[in-house]
Amino acid sequence: MREAYHVELEQLADHLAGMSVQVADAMERATRALLEVDLALAEQVISDDAKVDDARAECEEQAYALLALQAPVATDLRTVLAAIHAAESLERMGDLALHVAKAARRRHPEPVLPDAVRDDFARMGDLDVKLARRVEQIIKTKDVAAAKDLETEDDAVDDIHRHLFTVLMDRDWPHGVAAAVDVTLLGRFYERFADHAVSVARRMIFVVTGKMPGYGTDDEI
């Protein structure tokens, strides 16, 4: 019975890792749709979002079944609780990629981004996708050091996000209010995607150490 129970916990982790792949692919495609004005890619991200929602529901159903039927304790309990929270963050990452894709579709056939910020969004998109793919490995390995290192990449996204505001506040901004609103919202989507990736990594640290980073512990990242 105990062996079967741990097999179920491993399956739960595999489902979460699979969600990480899904949202990484979604953000990669959404960014390409944004930069390349590719309507087909945007539509693919939009239609695939339901799969991410289904994956979250499946993870939560499995986690709640484990809580109800197995009454886990200690590390096993932390694993199940972390999975519930991580699935929520991963689903939200999918939603943020969806918002990017919808912006690309809404403005098509016109580009959403002025040339002045295209490189910034290309870099943020690349960083976000790398973060999500690293989360997949962290879920599989429960590597605390790798989870802590994720914060550095998140800082890089934050730096670009702050830089966008300096561009938007320039009195010589020539692209109008609508473009400024688009850039502001899109920058926020990318910044929040990275934040949720860090949140998932912190949940994995909690599984291993029993302490939640960022709340006054020695494991803050």
Side-chain angles (χ1 to χ4, degrees):
M1 287 291 293
R2 196 67 185 167
E3 182 178 345
Y5 173 53
H6 280 285
V7 168
E8 291 186 69
L9 286 176
E10 290 175 6
Q11 289 174 344
L12 181 58
D14 287 342
H15 287 155
L16 287 174
M19 283 189 72
S20 299
V21 174
Q22 286 179 296
V23 299
D25 290 346
M27 183 53 88
E28 185 171 43
R29 291 173 183 143
T31 301
R32 284 179 53 200
L34 192 69
L35 296 173
E36 299 172 13
V37 197
D38 190 323
L39 181 60
L41 267 181
E43 294 286 6
Q44 182 179 354
V45 175
I46 292 165
S47 63
D48 284 350
D49 183 63
K51 298 177 183 178
V52 179
D53 295 341
D54 290 344
R56 176 191 175 179
E58 184 178 350
C59 283
E60 288 186 339
E61 181 178 351
Q62 185 177 7
Y64 288 132
L66 287 170
L67 285 175
L69 300 176
Q70 301 291 348
V73 296
T75 302
D76 292 345
L77 178 59
R78 294 200 300 269
T79 299
V80 176
L81 294 177
I84 293 170
H85 289 287
E88 179 182 3
S89 287
L90 289 164
E91 191 263 341
R92 182 59 183 147
M93 290 163 73
D95 286 344
L96 292 162
L98 172 68
H99 294 333
V100 173
K102 284 184 173 180
R105 182 177 69 176
R106 184 172 64 252
R107 296 298 185 192
H108 192 270
E110 298 299 321
V112 181
L113 300 174
D115 289 342
V117 297
R118 281 176 53 83
D119 288 347
D120 293 318
F121 278 94
R123 288 169 58 209
M124 280 198 296
D126 184 58
L127 288 167
D128 276 4
V129 172
K130 287 179 179 177
L131 282 168
R133 299 205 187 284
R134 288 180 185 177
V135 163
E136 177 201 1
Q137 295 304 311
I138 290 166
I139 291 170
K140 288 180 176 179
T141 63
K142 296 183 176 63
D143 186 331
V144 171
K148 291 181 177 181
D149 286 344
L150 215 67
E151 184 80 4
T152 301
E153 293 289 349
D154 178 52
D155 288 343
V157 176
D158 290 339
D159 288 343
I160 300 170
H161 186 231
R162 283 190 292 268
H163 169 70
L164 286 174
F165 283 105
T166 66
V167 175
L168 291 170
M169 295 302 291
D170 190 324
R171 67 178 63 186
D172 295 324
W173 171 263
H175 306 291
V177 174
V181 171
D182 283 339
V183 170
T184 300
L185 289 174
L186 286 164
R188 180 62 171 164
F189 298 154
Y190 281 90
E191 187 260 344
R192 289 302 296 152
F193 186 100
D195 285 348
H196 281 290
V198 171
S199 177
V200 176
R202 286 175 169 169
R203 296 291 173 183
M204 297 306 106
I205 295 174
F206 170 69
V207 169
V208 176
T209 67
K211 297 179 181 179
M212 187 57 134
Y215 294 91
T217 75
D218 293 335
D219 299 304
E220 285 188 9
I221 59 176

